[in-house]
Amino acid sequence: MATFLYKLGRLAFRRRHFVALIWVALLTLAGVGAASAPPAGTTSFSIPGTEAQKAFDLLEERFPGQSADGATARVVFKAPSGEKMTDAAHKATVEKAVADLADGSEVASVADPYQGKAVSKDGAIAYASVRYDVSGMELEDSTKDALEDAAQQARDAGLTVEVGGDALQAVPHTGATEVIGIAVAAVVLVITFGSLVAAGLPLLTALIGVGIGVSSITALASALELGSTTSILAMMIGLAVGIDYALFIVSRYRAELAEGREREEAAGRAVGTAGSAVVFAGLTVVIALVGLAVVNIPMLTKMGVAAAATVAIAVLIALTMVPALLGYAGRRVKSTGAKSRLLGGGRKKKDAQAEGGPAKANLGTRWASFVVRRPLAVLLLGVVGLGAAAVPAASLELGLPDDGSQPTSTTQRRAYDLLSEGFGPGFNGPLMVVVDARGSDAPQQVFTDVSNEIKGLDDVVAVTPPAPNKAGDTATITVIPDSKPSSVQTEDLVHAIRDAGGAVEADTGAQTLVTGSTAMNIDVSQKLNDALVPYLVLVVGLAFLLLIVVFRSILVPLKAALGFLLSVMAALGAVVAVFQWGWLSGLMGVEETGPVMSMMPIFMVGVVFGLAMDYEVFLVTRMREAYVHGEKPHQAVVTGFKHGARVVTAAAVIMMAVFAGFIGSSEAMVKMIGFGLAIAVFFDAFVVRMALVPAVLALLGGKAWWLPKWLDRALPNVDVEGEGLRTAEERGSGPEEDRELART
């Protein structure tokens, strides 16, 4: 592989105009496609195989024309202190608002609170339910304006009015912190390279790659039902890995120049060596993201595939466009003068060597030497520290966000609180029970039996009378729990209703299903929990095999996988501490604590594993390269840090800055993912890879690189270390081979 990438790098360097033109053309094409594509509609949130999804599908079949997937709104009215909503003036205000809402062209129905008994027992609070023909993301602005105008007119009449539901659903935004993250990345690159040109190359190529990826997602959003979160995730991961991959190749290019090689040769060797690491690091990220399909939640699968495609683009750009731009940059990528002296190199270093004194070892060399001398102490300290950070993960509670997790400044959250005040906390998470009595001889009796059975269960406040369809073979029953939607009691109630339905089915043949947003959230959480172990086995297993090929070792990949488990558990502990316990919640902009999102653990496992393997590949391949070239095991560890520690540190800081930039998002899921990934990169890069990895390798010595002879013969030789490049140089190959590649 190193030889092929070496030739590719030299070809891209020489044909720089052609390569740059191709990528600019792709960016333009993707941009035009995004600009001309129809706006994205709703994202279908289906969970195949769950009872809640089966009930939802049954509703669409047996109750046609009721817009089961249409947007909903609850307009909540509260009378001034000491007054009631049943007062004549307030009643007239509410009835006018209901009449105004019913005039909308996209409105399917509006339930009058006085006719539907939607007034609290104390008379202080009432609500009107509005159902629309289309989803919240498809509602026209005029419809949303009419909803807000009706609420405002009622406010002007003296009532407190808030609007809940998904009718006012807005596209999430990331805020200014995303730009700050990119700015931090730029500063780190300038400090690392001591050259504006060298610092600008990774940023430019990463932005081009993300532009192509996100524009392509936008262009396909309507056809593939990709939500706005998909493009934000692709941008987050694409920026981080795009900058990192380009950073490693540019850094290796500068090292090759420092060895006295010509620019084209340096570009080829940089792509042949660092580029090989980029390919395998990118493969681990792609495997982890595409592997999310194991969960069998279409939305999660689409997010993973879209992000994986963006990572693949970042790899291709690093292998082709980076060497092409290096051809344009010339030798301006080298740091000189004062900038170089800040980095401990340049003239100051040369002066020391000219005077016959040894050059001062860099920080990476000094740190690695320290760890090699005291490996056991460093290992124990790192494991204990990560273990302490992981302690909060033991109390992890999972759920999906609803209006109760919104900031208190939003009308959705205030409507949620008013409904809880007037009707009880369970009113915000009603359960819909669907009774399919098509195979029963007495459907009406079955509906009554199921209703009575539910009334006798614990934690039930109210049960509405069965509402059959026109055929009379299916009915819906709404159940109001006594506890809030995200509580354990409500989850127990869902299971109790399903158990009771099983007994009814055994007696009558009628099927009882529970659905609704609360039941759907419970089923999603269960499905994600069940998929976590198979997902871990698949992703870690495939990556383990891949790393065996890269490092030609059994123990090094095993160490990498165990280190990842430590870092991801510590990161989950930090997520629980902030988003569930509320530690530092004000600093992170978390206005409401609660359960961690159900998909967070499995998503963090996938993404963090891929990113953790990035640093493993980049850092350990330099150690493997030194070991293969004849250095002793301990010295190879130090050499790997000498050449790779500063760049890996810069890459980790950049990735943390990019991820942390998304903490400012208005979307709770994006905020949590941004924080989780940023803290996970910190633990993995600075504790696991920078401390535990050299400590373990120092303890193992030469055994770290042991591989059974039969397996060594069976594995393909991918030559990540670039040993084949030395052989090719000794054979005198060079321009003639490149010309042959260009002809083919």
Side-chain angles (χ1 to χ4, degrees):
M1 173 177 285
T3 303
F4 170 76
L5 293 178
Y6 164 79
K7 295 176 180 178
L8 179 63
R10 294 191 63 169
L11 181 63
F13 186 93
R14 289 199 312 274
R15 302 289 188 266
R16 62 186 74 104
H17 304 308
F18 181 68
V19 172
L21 182 62
I22 289 177
W23 283 112
V24 171
L26 289 175
L27 178 61
T28 303
L29 183 63
V32 171
S36 58
T42 182
T43 304
S44 58
F45 189 76
S46 61
I47 307 100
T50 61
E51 180 173 316
Q53 186 64 44
K54 292 177 183 176
F56 186 82
D57 295 339
L58 186 64
L59 282 173
E60 289 192 324
E61 176 190 343
R62 305 286 176 85
F63 293 83
Q66 290 197 8
S67 303
D69 59 346
T72 59
R74 276 179 170 175
V75 185
V76 187
F77 306 90
K78 182 178 182 180
S81 179
E83 302 179 20
K84 295 185 177 182
M85 290 304 303
T86 51
D87 295 347
H90 298 327
K91 186 175 181 180
T93 299
V94 172
E95 289 176 341
K96 182 180 184 305
V98 169
D100 291 341
L101 289 171
D103 289 339
S105 59
E106 296 179 310
V107 175
S109 64
V110 181
D112 187 298
Y114 301 103
Q115 297 178 5
K117 298 181 180 180
V119 180
S120 62
K121 290 182 180 180
D122 61 4
I125 298 173
Y127 70 91
S129 296
V130 187
R131 183 173 293 277
Y132 296 90
D133 293 322
V134 297
S135 67
M137 297 299 290
E138 295 173 313
L139 283 177
E140 295 180 358
D141 291 340
S142 59
T143 301
K144 295 182 179 181
D145 292 341
L147 177 60
E148 293 175 336
D149 289 344
Q152 187 58 48
Q153 290 178 14
R155 291 190 190 102
D156 295 340
L159 298 176
T160 298
V161 186
E162 305 295 346
V163 182
D166 60 353
L168 295 181
Q169 181 179 1
V171 176
H173 61 272
T174 54
T177 51
E178 176 192 346
V179 179
I180 296 175
I182 296 176
V184 171
V187 172
V188 173
L189 286 169
V190 171
I191 294 174
T192 302
F193 286 131
S195 164
L196 290 176
V197 174
L201 285 179
L203 279 177
L204 176 61
T205 54
L207 290 173
I208 291 174
V210 167
I212 294 173
V214 173
S215 296
S216 300
I217 291 171
T218 304
L220 299 172
S222 179
L224 301 181
E225 294 184 341
L226 303 176
S228 56
T229 306
T230 303
S231 60
I232 293 177
L233 176 66
M235 181 188 303
M236 182 191 304
I237 297 178
L239 269 177
V241 300
I243 294 174
D244 277 9
Y245 294 164
L247 167 64
F248 280 98
I249 290 180
V250 173
S251 177
R252 188 59 182 255
Y253 172 76
R254 282 162 44 109
E256 296 294 337
L257 287 179
E259 294 292 330
R261 293 187 174 88
E262 292 298 320
R263 293 191 298 122
E264 183 178 327
E265 176 70 12
R269 285 179 173 270
V271 176
T273 51
S276 297
V278 165
V279 169
F280 282 98
L283 274 176
T284 58
V285 180
V286 169
I287 287 172
L289 291 171
V290 174
L292 291 170
V294 172
V295 185
N296 196 26
I297 295 180
M299 184 189 76
L300 195 59
T301 300
K302 292 173 184 178
M303 289 172 62
V305 171
T310 307
V311 172
I313 292 172
V315 171
L316 292 174
I317 282 185
L319 299 178
T320 57
M321 192 172 188
V322 169
L325 293 181
L326 289 173
Y328 288 115
R331 294 188 176 273
R332 285 172 291 178
V333 296
K334 297 179 68 175
S335 59
T336 57
K339 293 179 292 184
S340 182
R341 288 195 294 273
L342 287 174
L343 300 171
R347 297 171 186 167
K348 183 178 179 181
K349 184 175 180 180
K350 291 179 181 178
D351 292 343
Q353 292 173 339
E355 293 171 4
K360 183 180 179 181
N362 62 22
L363 182 60
T365 302
R366 298 197 300 272
W367 169 251
S369 300
F370 169 79
V371 175
V372 166
R373 289 195 303 270
R374 297 174 177 81
L376 188 59
V378 172
L379 179 62
L380 291 176
L381 184 61
V383 171
V384 170
L386 290 176
V391 168
S395 62
L396 175 68
E397 296 178 9
L398 298 177
L400 287 178
D402 56 15
D403 284 348
S405 62
Q406 296 272 4
T408 53
S409 59
T410 62
T411 185
Q412 291 94 331
R413 171 59 190 277
R414 291 196 292 263
Y416 181 98
D417 292 341
L418 284 177
L419 288 172
S420 297
E421 176 187 339
F423 302 92
F427 195 79
N428 283 293
L431 306 174
M432 179 174 287
V433 179
V434 183
V435 184
D436 179 9
R438 177 169 284 184
S440 174
D441 296 331
Q444 291 296 331
Q445 184 60 44
V446 171
F447 300 154
T448 303
D449 290 345
V450 171
S451 179
N452 292 335
E453 191 76 25
I454 295 173
K455 288 178 182 178
L457 297 175
D458 295 334
D459 206 51
V460 174
V461 171
V463 179
T464 64
N469 62 347
K470 290 182 180 180
D473 58 4
T474 307
T476 60
I477 302 171
T478 301
V479 180
I480 306 298
D482 188 38
S483 305
K484 65 181 182 178
S486 59
S487 66
V488 176
Q489 291 84 353
T490 300
E491 182 177 350
D492 292 340
L493 175 60
V494 170
H495 294 310
I497 295 174
R498 288 172 173 170
D499 292 341
V504 171
E505 183 176 7
D507 295 337
T508 65
Q511 189 177 23
T512 302
L513 305 172
V514 184
T515 189
S517 60
T518 301
M520 191 78 80
N521 291 351
I522 292 171
D523 287 351
V524 169
S525 299
Q526 186 61 50
K527 192 175 182 69
L528 289 166
N529 285 338
D530 293 342
L532 184 58
V533 173
Y535 176 70
L536 264 174
V537 171
L538 173 69
V539 172
V540 177
L542 287 176
F544 181 77
L545 294 176
L546 186 66
L547 292 178
I548 289 178
V549 175
V550 174
F551 297 126
R552 308 195 75 79
S553 164
I554 297 293
L555 296 179
V556 171
L558 180 62
K559 164 197 60 63
L562 294 177
F564 150 74
L565 291 175
L566 279 173
S567 58
V568 78
M569 289 304 298
L572 274 176
V575 169
V576 170
V578 173
F579 291 88
Q580 187 176 311
W581 292 359
W583 293 5
L584 301 177
S585 57
L587 181 64
M588 298 297 167
V590 180
E591 296 190 29
E592 186 68 24
T593 59
V596 174
M597 278 179 299
S598 301
M599 64 180 64
M600 191 65 187
I602 198 166
F603 188 81
M604 279 190 65
V605 165
V607 178
V608 174
F609 182 79
L611 299 179
M613 294 307 102
D614 274 4
Y615 300 119
E616 181 75 15
V617 170
F618 289 135
L619 193 59
V620 180
T621 48
R622 292 306 293 258
M623 300 179 191
R624 169 75 181 173
E625 183 178 342
Y627 180 75
V628 167
H629 293 161
E631 293 189 8
K632 293 182 179 180
H634 284 197
Q635 184 57 41
V637 171
V638 176
T639 300
F641 266 75
K642 174 183 177 182
H643 294 293
R646 190 181 70 186
V647 180
V648 169
T649 300
V653 172
I654 288 169
M655 198 170 278
M656 288 169 55
V658 172
F659 288 147
F662 289 83
I663 296 176
S665 174
S666 62
E667 179 72 24
M669 178 178 175
V670 176
K671 181 189 290 288
M672 191 177 292
I673 288 174
F675 172 80
L677 294 184
I679 197 69
V681 169
F682 172 78
F683 287 140
D684 195 85
F686 294 105
V687 181
V688 174
R689 309 303 154 190
M690 290 291 182
L692 301 189
V693 165
V696 172
L697 290 178
L699 289 172
L700 292 175
K703 296 177 182 178
W705 309 108
W706 172 80
L707 187 69
K709 291 183 179 179
W710 64 267
L711 184 57
D712 187 40
R713 291 191 297 268
L715 291 177
N717 184 13
V718 295
D719 188 21
V720 177
E721 300 84 15
E723 184 65 20
L725 300 183
R726 291 189 172 193
T727 306
E729 186 180 55
E730 291 170 357
R731 290 198 307 263
S733 64
E736 184 60 33
E737 288 187 0
D738 298 331
R739 286 193 290 270
E740 180 63 25
L741 177 63
R743 285 195 294 269
T744 57

